[in-house]
Amino acid sequence: MLDSILNSATTSTTDLTLTNSLVTIGLAIILGAIISLTYMKTNKTTYTQGFTLTLVILPIVVAVIILMIGSNVARAFSLAGAFSIIRFRSAAGDPKDITYVLFTMAAGLACGVGSLGYAVLFTVILCALMFALSRFKFGIRKSQQKTLKVTIPENLGYEEAFEEVFAKFGVQHELKKIRTTELGSLYELVYSVTLDPNVNQKAFLDSIRTRNGNLDLSLTMAPPVTAEY
């Protein structure tokens, strides 16, 4: 019965009509808005207006492209040639954002080929899945990975300077970078550290300060994995 319902909501893309075009574009707008709202609800503190608007517009663009191509092979090759000269680049971001971009493109593609029922079904299932994964905090690490930058005097051996402090607070660490500053009179050490939620960060930093002579230090969130698409 479900197959019959979904198949009944399928339109033919071989004959481009005003009615089919309006229905396809209208559904693409609705699905894009649903996906965008899902993204905002599952990323309440990190989403941007520009990206949420993109999620609404992208399914419409893809659907219109598919409508224009139809079954015309010459149009398909012409479009491929036009897009081959365009290079898309973006700043590094959350890999989950790329997933949402592909999600919206798939929804627009399904609308464009006339599989309207399946487009709605897949959108509902994936949005529900996104909500469930966000609700149960799937994949979230309890420990926090951060970057620790410490300045030390040149007479302090950096190999074991803070080993006792790291052991005391149970902090996993890896020395990533060493460089000299102030004409070689100081060293700057960059560590990748993993902090347990119950670690008192102020006490941890105070212990570091007593070892480096109260010179500069900073503790920041580790940079995200970079991505290009």
Side-chain angles (χ1 to χ4, degrees), residues 64-97:
V64 169
I65 291 174
I66 299 302
L67 284 175
M68 293 298 102
I69 292 176
S71 58
N72 191 313
V73 178
R75 290 181 186 175
F77 279 105
S78 298
L79 186 66
F83 275 99
S84 66
I85 65 175
I86 303 174
R87 180 174 176 82
F88 295 96
R89 298 181 65 89
S90 68
D94 192 335
K96 184 165 55 176
D97 294 351

Side-chain angles (χ1 to χ4, degrees), residues 7-223:
N7 290 331
S8 65
T10 300
T11 62
S12 175
T13 56
T14 55
D15 297 324
L16 184 62
T17 65
L18 178 61
T19 301
N20 286 345
S21 300
L22 292 177
V23 171
T24 299
I25 294 173
L27 184 60
I29 293 173
I30 294 173
L31 296 183
I34 293 174
I35 296 170
S36 183
L37 288 172
T38 301
Y39 177 80
M40 288 189 288
K41 293 295 184 181
T42 56
N43 299 270
K44 294 182 179 180
T45 60
T46 59
Y47 74 85
T48 62
Q49 183 185 25
F51 189 73
T52 55
L53 291 177
T54 300
L55 294 181
V56 176
I57 299 300
L58 191 57
I60 308 168
V61 175
V62 174
V64 169
I65 291 174
I66 299 302
L67 284 175
M68 293 298 102
I69 292 176
S71 58
N72 191 313
V73 178
R75 290 181 186 175
F77 279 105
S78 298
L79 186 66
F83 275 99
S84 66
I85 65 175
I86 303 174
R87 180 174 176 82
F88 295 96
R89 298 181 65 89
S90 68
D94 192 335
K96 184 165 55 176
D97 294 351
I98 304 176
T99 302
Y100 273 96
V101 169
L102 296 176
F103 183 8
T104 55
M105 291 180 66
L109 180 62
C111 291
V113 298
S115 300
L116 306 184
Y118 288 103
V120 174
L121 178 64
F122 296 153
T123 299
V124 170
I125 291 175
L126 288 176
C127 285
L129 178 61
M130 293 293 188
F131 270 114
L133 294 177
S134 176
R135 172 66 179 81
F136 293 104
K137 302 184 185 300
F138 180 81
I140 293 181
R141 296 178 56 180
K142 293 183 179 180
S143 58
Q144 297 178 323
Q145 188 172 6
K146 298 189 176 184
T147 299
L148 175 67
K149 294 183 180 180
V150 187
T151 302
I152 63 173
E154 62 176 345
N155 60 357
L156 180 63
Y158 57 80
E159 294 90 347
E160 299 179 356
F162 307 107
E163 291 296 326
E164 184 178 342
V165 177
F166 291 139
K168 176 183 177 181
F169 289 90
V171 175
Q172 300 179 21
H173 63 283
E174 181 181 358
L175 184 59
K176 293 289 189 179
K177 181 179 178 182
I178 306 169
R179 74 182 185 94
T180 59
T181 62
E182 301 295 333
L183 300 178
S185 62
L186 300 174
Y187 284 95
E188 183 183 74
L189 312 180
V190 179
Y191 291 93
S192 174
V193 297
T194 303
L195 301 178
D196 196 77
N198 58 7
V199 170
N200 188 324
Q201 294 188 19
K202 182 179 184 304
F204 172 64
L205 294 179
D206 287 342
S207 297
I208 296 290
R209 289 171 53 223
T210 59
R211 293 298 184 95
N212 78 331
N214 207 29
L215 294 174
D216 291 342
L217 68 91
S218 66
L219 182 65
T220 59
M221 294 299 296

